Amino acid sequence: MVFLPGYRSDMTGEKATALAAFCAARGQAMLRFDYSGNGASEGAFEDGTIGAWALDALAVIDALSEGPLILVGSSMGGWIALLTALARPARVAGLVGIAAAPDFTETLMWAAMAPAERATLLRDGVLRAPSQYGEPYAITRALIEDGRNHLLLTGPIAIDCPVRLLHGQLDPDVPWETALRIAERVTGADVRITLVKDGDHRLSRPGDLALLRETLAALLDQDRA
């Protein structure tokens, strides 16, 4: 089991720690880590891009794990999980997206910017954006431009392993319809979506975490059958 955190998140979040406890109780190996510039890892957050963080994931997985993997990606981590599954198809036995957000740099960041904001980003290389989760954060020109090299929802996503997508219908950050678009694009047939009608973006309430555990347990039991 590999947990891939979301944008501006790290391996100490509620979902990551809940997953660690779940795996420990089952005697299941688990790997969690921080991308460069996040959490306990070195580097500056503003230097990060989707491509760089995807390479972080591959480097950690290649160095610290062996055998089949189930990837669990939260928000941006869902995008990283899909990229990882494409890069290591022989190793990925299952994928779970929690409010998965592929292409968000283009469809949710760039698309939402006013002309003046786009001009500031292109001129200065960075735009400070307000966040409902804390201090304003930096959106860099490099993040936007690199993201365009990794867009997935513009064509088929050649993933054949079981894919499970959990998404809250009250998510204010990533529209729940994104899960439908992912399911449409993934070429494999074993894709299931679970919508949580009153769920938010984080899906970290006790009931949400119970749903995550149930989803993972079913995938693990299916893989072992």
Side-chain angles (χ1 to χ4, degrees):
M1 193 85 67
V2 181
F3 182 75
L4 301 160
Y7 186 68
R8 299 177 69 228
S9 188
D10 58 48
M11 62 180 175
T12 65
E14 289 178 283
K15 289 184 290 291
T17 53
L19 183 57
F22 166 81
C23 289
R26 287 180 61 104
Q28 170 68 47
M30 182 199 171
L31 174 62
R32 53 181 169 142
F33 65 96
D34 291 332
Y35 310 115
S36 56
N38 290 263
S41 292
E42 296 180 351
F45 176 79
E46 293 182 12
D47 292 336
T49 61
I50 299 301
W53 291 327
L55 288 176
D56 287 345
L58 290 175
V60 171
I61 286 169
D62 290 346
L64 300 177
S65 73
E66 56 186 36
L69 307 170
I70 291 180
L71 307 177
V72 183
S74 176
S75 192
M76 182 190 78
W79 190 358
I80 302 296
L82 292 167
L83 292 171
T84 300
L86 290 169
R88 298 291 185 272
R91 292 202 58 197
V92 177
L95 188 153
V96 177
I98 308 165
D103 302 8
F104 78 91
T105 53
E106 191 70 15
T107 60
L108 301 179
M109 286 183 166
W110 179 257
M113 291 180 192
E117 293 174 317
R118 291 182 178 182
T120 297
L121 179 70
L122 295 175
R123 182 187 68 246
D124 300 338
V126 64
L127 176 71
R128 301 286 172 180
S131 170
Q132 62 176 318
Y133 302 112
E135 295 295 319
Y137 61 93
I139 299 174
T140 66
R141 179 173 178 171
L143 177 72
I144 298 296
E145 293 181 346
D146 173 82
R148 292 174 180 148
N149 297 324
H150 303 284
L151 300 179
L152 294 178
L153 297 179
T154 54
I157 303 174
I159 293 175
D160 293 323
C161 68
V163 174
R164 304 291 181 261
L165 303 169
L166 313 179
H167 214 120
Q169 289 189 279
L170 296 183
D171 187 335
D173 300 310
V174 181
W176 62 265
E177 291 88 351
T178 304
L180 305 182
R181 296 184 65 198
I182 297 169
E184 180 183 19
R185 294 298 187 183
V186 168
T187 58
D190 190 1
V191 181
R192 302 177 190 175
I193 299 171
T194 301
L195 297 176
V196 182
K197 187 170 184 178
D198 64 345
D200 60 9
H201 182 62
R202 292 185 171 183
L203 288 182
S204 294
R205 300 169 302 178
D208 301 327
L209 297 176
L211 172 62
L212 176 60
R213 289 191 292 268
E214 292 166 7
T215 302
L216 292 171
L219 270 182
L220 287 167
D221 292 341
Q222 176 180 330
D223 185 55
R224 290 168 177 168

